[in-house]
Amino acid sequence: MERRARQPLLELKLFRRPSFAVLMAAALLLQAAAFPYLTYGGLWLQTVLGLSPMQAGLAVMPVSYTH
């Protein structure tokens, strides 16, 4: 769809540049590692610290705004 659009959101020619492609792959890996952290962090807060699910969710919520 991006190839046919008059004004694409992301110019696909950028992926031909190795530096851009590596940067995008690194960003994808970083985001893939950040999201499970929120889940496991919330579970840790509940099991180890004994917080309720609501308390654990509220404790983890500020971390989600930084990503």
Side-chain angles (χ1 to χ4, degrees), residues 30-48:
L30 180 64
Q31 288 300 316
F35 284 116
Y37 168 76
L38 295 173
T39 303
Y40 291 123
L43 290 173
W44 180 81
L45 288 169
Q46 291 177 52
T47 57
V48 175

Side-chain angles (χ1 to χ4, degrees), residues 1-66:
M1 182 174 252
E2 290 292 308
R3 290 181 192 176
R4 295 185 303 250
R6 284 186 289 144
Q7 294 180 338
L9 294 175
L10 178 63
E11 193 66 45
L12 297 178
K13 294 178 201 173
L14 291 171
F15 285 101
R16 293 183 188 156
R17 299 177 67 188
S19 59
F20 183 80
V22 168
L23 179 66
M24 288 293 107
L28 178 69
L29 290 174
L30 180 64
Q31 288 300 316
F35 284 116
Y37 168 76
L38 295 173
T39 303
Y40 291 123
L43 290 173
W44 180 81
L45 288 169
Q46 291 177 52
T47 57
V48 175
L49 297 182
L51 297 179
S52 71
M54 180 65 79
Q55 291 171 324
L58 290 173
V60 173
M61 190 172 51
V63 177
S64 67
Y65 289 124
T66 62

